Amino acid sequence: MRSRLRVADGRHLMVERQGDPRGRPVFLLHGMPGSRLGPAPRGMVLYQRNMQLISFDRPGYGGSDRLAGRRVRDVVEDVRAIADSLGLGRFAVVGRSGGAPHALACAALMPDRVTRTAALVSLAPRDAEGLDWFEGMAASNVLAYSRAVDDPDGLAESFISRSAQIRQDPARLLDDLRRELTDSDRVVVNDAGIRMMLLANFREGLRTSAYGWIDDALAFCRPWGFDPADIKGPVMLWHGVKDVFSPVGHSRWLAGQIPGATAVLEPAAAHFDALSVLPDVLNWLLDEREAAAC
């Protein structure tokens, strides 16, 4: 079920609700660039698990209005507004790649409502003390995140140009990344079903503008507006050790900051393997013992 929600500041958010509308709720926060149409289990799988999956386009992506200058923490009020509109009291949250820091923001700033949180292939804050932020990162991401700090106007121009090309041919983004993909990532993105979902995701995310992508990159390189060390609820950090887009050192750093976090570091996995583990992560998020407390 798709809906367009108006939030308190007058913006509109495009929201997608899949699975059992009476099932246990999980918010799925998409990657960068991305949209509410990002890869997810099919509706029948969600029904079988008595689960509803709520996703939405972050501001500037797809059908959601832009919020210029947004911070990572600003996602919290959007998630809260969507949950309130759906009559949801407590819920779990999972974010993949660019969605992962936003999931952690929900865990830190909505402890009364978030039951469990999973952050898959997450970045750490740019000012993370003791972390070499760029170690192990692909050259394309080093360039983009460096520009986000040193030349934000140049970053915007670059992403606007790339987005126009991707709108014409969504496969262009995967093709651009191909030379930096690990063997593991190539296996995942060459799967016909996953590739089709990824292309639909990119097409929708960049359909109206590049500003969701631009604002995400800028937000990751500014203060996030919360301290991961303040997260008290159960958190799973999943990361492929071979990831070159969000290096595994970022999740290792987060695991050292978040009290009681469970870090799952897969030696043979890389960035896009996070898509394959999502069903198991959803099981962890809705562990029966946690569900009983909701």
Side-chain angles (χ1 to χ4, degrees):
M1 183 178 68
R2 184 170 303 165
S3 60
R4 197 160 185 254
L5 173 68
R6 183 172 182 177
V7 294
D9 63 8
R11 289 179 297 113
H12 289 88
L13 298 172
M14 188 65 77
V15 182
E16 198 89 11
R17 192 181 190 190
Q18 304 175 69
D20 184 352
R22 294 179 295 277
R24 292 171 291 168
V26 177
F27 275 82
L28 173 60
L29 306 185
H30 64 75
M32 178 190 83
S35 74
R36 68 192 186 282
L37 304 182
R42 290 175 295 179
M44 183 57 67
V45 173
L46 299 173
Y47 264 99
Q48 290 170 347
R49 298 181 186 206
N50 185 33
M51 179 186 305
Q52 57 176 307
L53 201 63
I54 303 105
S55 56
F56 68 101
D57 298 334
R58 278 195 299 282
Y61 287 114
S64 291
D65 296 333
R66 185 188 184 196
L67 177 60
R70 61 179 165 89
R71 299 169 296 170
V72 173
R73 69 166 291 149
D74 291 330
V75 74
V76 172
E77 291 310 313
D78 287 347
V79 169
R80 192 192 310 275
I82 295 168
D84 289 347
S85 75
L86 297 176
L88 304 176
R90 302 189 73 204
F91 43 83
V93 182
V94 55
R96 184 186 68 82
S97 190
H102 294 91
L104 295 175
C106 293
L109 301 175
M110 282 194 290
D112 56 327
R113 300 188 71 169
V114 174
T115 56
R116 285 189 166 196
T117 307
L120 315 183
V121 296
S122 184
L123 290 170
R126 183 66 181 268
D127 59 357
E129 186 175 352
L131 173 67
D132 183 345
W133 209 81
F134 289 120
E135 183 180 2
M137 186 178 287
S140 61
N141 275 12
V142 171
L143 176 61
Y145 290 125
S146 296
R147 273 185 167 177
V149 173
D150 300 330
D151 183 17
D153 290 340
L155 174 81
E157 290 176 10
S158 171
F159 278 10
I160 288 169
S161 175
R162 288 185 69 193
S163 294
Q165 295 169 344
I166 294 165
R167 277 195 290 276
Q168 295 296 318
D169 178 15
R172 175 69 179 265
L173 181 55
L174 289 179
D175 291 342
D176 288 347
L177 294 176
R178 185 166 296 278
R179 65 183 178 276
E180 296 178 323
L181 293 177
T182 65
D183 291 342
S184 178
D185 278 341
R186 287 193 181 96
V187 170
V188 176
V189 302
N190 285 338
D191 178 274
I194 289 178
R195 188 177 179 87
M196 183 166 36
M197 284 190 290
L198 284 171
L199 296 184
N201 177 44
F202 299 150
R203 183 184 294 111
E204 177 62 15
L206 301 174
R207 174 172 57 86
T208 54
S209 80
Y211 281 105
W213 195 4
I214 293 165
D215 292 338
D216 264 354
L218 295 176
F220 296 146
C221 294
R222 295 169 176 159
W224 286 8
F226 69 96
D227 186 344
D230 292 337
I231 298 173
K232 305 302 182 189
V235 174
M236 176 194 287
L237 301 165
W238 187 96
H239 220 117
V241 172
K242 294 185 177 181
D243 194 334
V244 298
F245 299 107
S246 305
V248 68
H250 290 238
S251 278
R252 288 192 173 117
W253 185 90
L254 288 166
Q257 302 297 310
I258 301 171
T262 298
V264 180
L265 308 181
E266 293 289 348
H271 192 74
F272 286 94
D273 286 291
L275 302 175
S276 305
V277 303
L278 184 57
D280 290 338
V281 171
L282 292 175
N283 286 340
W284 179 85
L285 286 168
L286 294 181
D287 180 275
E288 290 298 330
R289 289 166 296 178
E290 184 70 22
C294 295

